């Protein structure tokens, strides 16, 4: 009776250490724009490599080399995008040498990683299994979702921008041309690959149908779209200007009242000043001076509250349905989206990019929250200016009454 080969405990330890090292390396040094080639992708490739290696009946030492190569195959992305495979080989060699891994086995691991470069030959079984594991997303249910992550990554890092139709056509061509190399890979992924080709066909037809409908309404829609975008641009610009004006006015009141309070406290507390003895000899001066201090204090406090950063947020439950369709959630504002995990934020943004109505809803929500913040700022500013104005009038009247009383 045949048994499936498994890693020996002593050998399995090096694989666990490699996983921990790559996880820490990616967390500290992987550029945040790499939303597809992340630790999640590497972890999946390592699992698929182990499954393919076991299905192919690899000896334990070859299975170990395959899994180690899978963990390190994208490590080079921390330094470069194009040609990262060769940097990955260097990083794997450095780390394995530090673990006193046999030199001949390090060479095997590097050779397997080399095969993941598009221009390198894939001759051995280990080469084919590694490449199949790396491209296993094409034979899984989440193929189309992963493709959107790759599209986003290319736009951010390579400047390669695709329309929805262009991307759907590119993906369909790629799926149709791809062939899994190993027998284990063909057996594991061929059915799902066919299903993904069919699904991509459907996606392309939907996009073409939608594009045709938009072309028929292009004239009227183009004008309407430009008008909507102009409205949003103008509204955002006005909100930013008003917010800047509010902060300037608040800073002016803070500076003025801070100086005024400093001068009053300094002169009243100094024994050598003229106001100090005069205040002691004439207690009735406490009324206007108290009014002036209260005025400055009330005005500066409300001005500070106005200038104080105010971040609107929301409570989100993990059991909530679609993020992007929640009218109270604004994915365009950091006060909202930082409450989400990266995966949920990416899912929501991808939905926004696919649905114009959802995008406009989020922009409207963003304007509403900006308006709430501005309303609070100007309300507090009005209170600050009113306190200052009324306080100065009352202080002047009080001083006048004191002068008449003394006369």
């Amino acid at each position: 009776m045949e048994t499936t080969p498994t890693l020996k405990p002593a050998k399995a330890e090096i694989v666990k250490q490699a996983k921990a090292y790559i996880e820490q390396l990616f967390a500290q040094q992987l550029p945040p724009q790499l939303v597809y080639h992340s630790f999640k992708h590497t972890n999946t490739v390592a699992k698929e490599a182990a499954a393919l290696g076991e299905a192919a009946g690899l000896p334990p030492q070859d299975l170990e080399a395959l899994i180690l190569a899978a963990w390190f195959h994208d490590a080079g992305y921390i330094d470069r995008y194009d040609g990262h495979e060769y940097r990955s080989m260097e990083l794997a060699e450095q780390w394995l040498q530090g673990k006193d891994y046999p030199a001949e086995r390090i060479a095997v691991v590097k050779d397997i990683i080399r095969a993941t470069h598009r221009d390198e030959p894939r001759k051995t079984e280990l080469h084919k299994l590694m490449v199949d594991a790396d491209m296993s997303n094409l034979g899984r249910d989440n193929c189309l979702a992963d493709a959107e992550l790759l599209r986003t990554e290319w736009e951010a890092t390579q400047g390669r921008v695709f329309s929805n139709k262009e991307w759907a056509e590119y993906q369909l061509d790629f799926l149709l041309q791809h062939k899994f190399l190993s027998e284990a890979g063909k057996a594991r992924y061929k059915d799902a690959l066919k299903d993904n080709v069919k699904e991509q066909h459907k996606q392309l037809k939907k996009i073409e149908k939608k594009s045709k409908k938009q072309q028929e309404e292009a004239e009227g829609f183009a004008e309407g779209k430009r008008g909507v975008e102009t409205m949003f641009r103008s509204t955002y610009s006005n909100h930013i200007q008003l917010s800047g004006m509010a902060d300037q006015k608040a800073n002016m009141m803070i500076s003025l009242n801070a100086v005024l309070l400093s001068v009053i406290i300094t002169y009243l507390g100094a024994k050598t000043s003229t106001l100090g003895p005069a205040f002691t000899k004439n207690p009735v001066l406490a009324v206007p001076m108290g009014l002036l201090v209260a005025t400055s204090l009330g005005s500066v406090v409300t001005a500070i509250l106005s200038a104080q950063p105010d971040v609107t947020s929301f409570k989100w439950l993990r059991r909530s349905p679609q993020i992007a369709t929640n009218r109270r959630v604004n994915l365009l504002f950091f006060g909202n989206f930082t409450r989400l995990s990266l995966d949920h934020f990416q899912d929501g943004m991808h939905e926004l990019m696919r649905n114009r109505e959802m995008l406009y809803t989020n922009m409207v929500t963003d304007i509403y929250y900006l308006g709430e913040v501005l309303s609070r700022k100007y309300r507090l500013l009005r209170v600050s200016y009113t306190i200052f104005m009324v306080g100065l009038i009352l202080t002047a009247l009080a001083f006048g009454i004191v002068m008449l009383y003394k006369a």
Side-chain angles (χ1 to χ4, degrees), residues 186-200:
K186 293 174 184 177
R188 186 174 176 85
Y189 305 122
K190 64 179 181 180
D191 292 338
L193 177 61
K194 291 179 182 178
D195 292 340
N196 288 330
V197 169
K198 293 178 182 177
E199 185 61 30
Q200 192 64 59

Side-chain angles (χ1 to χ4, degrees), residues 91-111:
L91 291 170
E93 181 177 28
Q94 293 170 9
W95 186 82
L96 289 170
Q97 285 177 345
K99 299 295 180 181
D100 296 325
Y101 204 66
E104 66 276 9
R105 301 311 300 170
I106 294 177
V108 174
V109 172
K110 290 173 61 181
D111 186 56

Side-chain angles (χ1 to χ4, degrees), residues 57 169 210 261 263 352:
E169 290 173 342
K210 186 176 181 180
L261 282 171
V263 170
L352 284 187

